[in-house]
Amino acid sequence: MGQRPTIYDVAREAGVAASTVSRAYARPGRVNTDTARRVFAAAERLGYRTTRLDGGPPPGARAAHEAIALVIADVTNPFYGEIIKGAYEAARRAGYQLVLSHTNESPEEERRTIERELAHVDGIVIASSRMTDSALRMMAKQRPVVLLNRILPEAICVVSDTRRGIHRAAEHLAALGHERIRYVAGPGTSWSDGTRWRALREAAARLGLDVRRIGPHEPTVLAGLSAARRVARADATAVLAYNDALAIGVMKGLRKLGVAVPADISVVGFDNILLDELVEPALTTVAAPLYRMGLTGVRNCIALAQGAHLSATPLVLPVRLVVRQSTTHRR
């Protein structure tokens, strides 16, 4: 005896999203008449039947939750604040719920979290995934997946123009007379970290700079504080950090060691979080369009969940260098 047809079989037969099939049965008023007719005709051809008295989907079929999961590595990291706000706004405009999950910078926890969410949401937006490419491919086969700050050919991806941003930062430091730059690296599992380090080496070769890597580190202020001693011993006149939190930690740590920023060492971050203008000195940084990234990611995920076919070419959002008081001319 063959397997009973599922809601996904009906969706393929009718040429619609699984969530549309579920709505056709559970909330018919929310589905276009022609679309509903096509769904019911496909179900009839396949022998698909609901078994619940309320007309909802049968046991084992996923209901139309009209929810999108946003999975982030660390809810305490200020970097994610604007991403969450943009994601929430996109979900609100479309009438979807946003389900937020925090994975504590752990690829294992990220995978477990997503596996739990798969049955409850229509799509998943993963910001700064720490999982392997193969694990992400498996997820993308099960639900619409959009990646933020990560490029994978099998998924829809939204990234900031990291290469341009790092090049602008390196050019800024070179123009100030800095020749020895240390890169305070982020997590070893971070795709963005590898991209930023490669871009810096590329810029260094073009500009004749001496660049070296210190790390990896967790992307936190505390990790930056711990890295400050290595930075002070590194015989560098400038630091480019993986993100603003690390950069702020490095500045605070250098101050405790009696090293002045920017008089002795200039510091540049990446992201442009709110804290950058509150610290002393205010942090020079590469501003990434975080709100727009969250907004675009969820908007595209909803479109995928509703059956749209989107280009697999990564969407690259522009960045800009914001010069503040943490950088100055080399003495």
Side-chain angles (χ1 to χ4, degrees):
M1 183 176 176
Q3 290 186 334
R4 291 177 56 182
T6 69
I7 196 169
Y8 302 104
D9 298 323
V10 176
R12 280 192 292 271
E13 178 75 12
V16 300
S19 57
T20 302
V21 176
S22 185
R23 271 197 298 275
Y25 281 96
R27 303 164 72 181
R30 295 290 301 276
V31 178
N32 175 278
T33 303
D34 290 338
T35 301
R37 188 179 296 116
R38 195 161 74 248
V39 166
F40 296 141
E44 185 67 28
R45 287 195 297 274
L46 295 174
Y48 173 82
R49 294 287 186 274
T50 61
T51 57
R52 286 171 50 185
L53 295 177
D54 61 4
R62 186 176 66 90
H65 295 282
E66 294 190 338
I68 297 295
L70 174 63
V71 180
I72 63 174
D74 183 0
V75 74
T76 66
N77 187 338
F79 163 77
Y80 293 106
E82 288 298 306
I83 289 179
I84 293 169
K85 286 170 65 177
Y88 172 80
E89 180 60 19
R92 186 193 66 79
R93 290 178 189 175
Y96 277 67
Q97 290 183 319
L98 187 71
V99 180
L100 180 64
S101 296
H102 150 90
T103 63
N104 203 31
E105 293 286 347
S106 164
E108 294 78 21
E109 180 60 27
E110 182 180 333
R111 184 167 189 161
R112 285 192 295 268
T113 297
I114 293 172
E115 287 173 347
R116 285 196 303 268
E117 296 290 356
L118 283 173
H120 307 294
V121 297
D122 298 299
I124 300 170
V125 178
I126 311 174
S128 305
S129 177
R130 305 305 188 215
M131 292 195 301
T132 63
D133 285 358
S134 59
L136 287 170
R137 288 189 191 99
M138 289 289 291
M139 300 299 176
K141 289 177 181 177
Q142 299 176 70
R143 285 288 182 276
V145 168
V146 174
L147 301 179
L148 309 183
N149 296 311
R150 178 80 173 258
I151 291 179
L152 185 72
E154 293 83 358
I156 302 300
C157 306
V158 184
V159 296
S160 58
D161 195 346
T162 291
R163 181 178 177 276
R164 178 177 292 274
I166 294 293
H167 277 249
R168 295 294 84 80
E171 289 164 2
H172 169 66
L173 292 172
L176 294 174
H178 297 283
E179 297 174 349
R180 299 187 306 279
I181 301 170
R182 299 300 171 257
Y183 175 68
V184 179
T189 53
S190 166
W191 179 88
S192 295
D193 179 73
T195 302
R196 289 170 195 180
W197 174 232
R198 286 191 296 274
L200 181 57
R201 286 189 297 170
E202 185 182 84
R206 178 169 59 86
L207 298 168
L209 305 175
D210 171 18
V211 297
R212 299 182 191 179
R213 179 185 176 94
I214 298 174
H217 304 93
E218 291 297 304
T220 65
V221 172
L222 284 177
L225 276 166
S226 299
R229 192 170 296 277
R230 290 184 65 189
V231 170
R233 294 198 303 258
D235 189 32
T237 63
V239 164
L240 176 58
Y242 161 77
N243 72 348
D244 290 342
L246 272 171
I248 290 169
V250 167
M251 288 200 301
K252 291 176 69 67
L254 289 174
R255 183 181 303 162
K256 288 183 177 182
L257 296 169
V259 179
V261 177
D264 297 324
I265 297 182
S266 287
V267 177
V268 179
F270 200 108
D271 291 330
N272 198 34
I273 63 175
L274 180 62
L275 294 177
D276 293 354
E277 295 187 86
L278 303 180
V279 296
E280 183 64 38
L283 181 64
T284 295
T285 189
V286 177
L290 304 179
Y291 179 90
R292 184 178 167 196
M293 184 176 289
L295 184 84
T296 304
V298 168
R299 183 181 289 161
N300 284 353
C301 192
I302 291 171
L304 286 174
Q306 294 177 344
H309 297 283
L310 304 181
S311 169
T313 303
L315 179 58
V316 181
L317 304 180
V319 299
R320 60 190 174 89
L321 181 68
V322 179
V323 178
R324 299 192 180 101
Q325 288 74 51
S326 67
T327 51
T328 193
H329 286 87
R330 176 188 173 190
R331 290 202 300 190

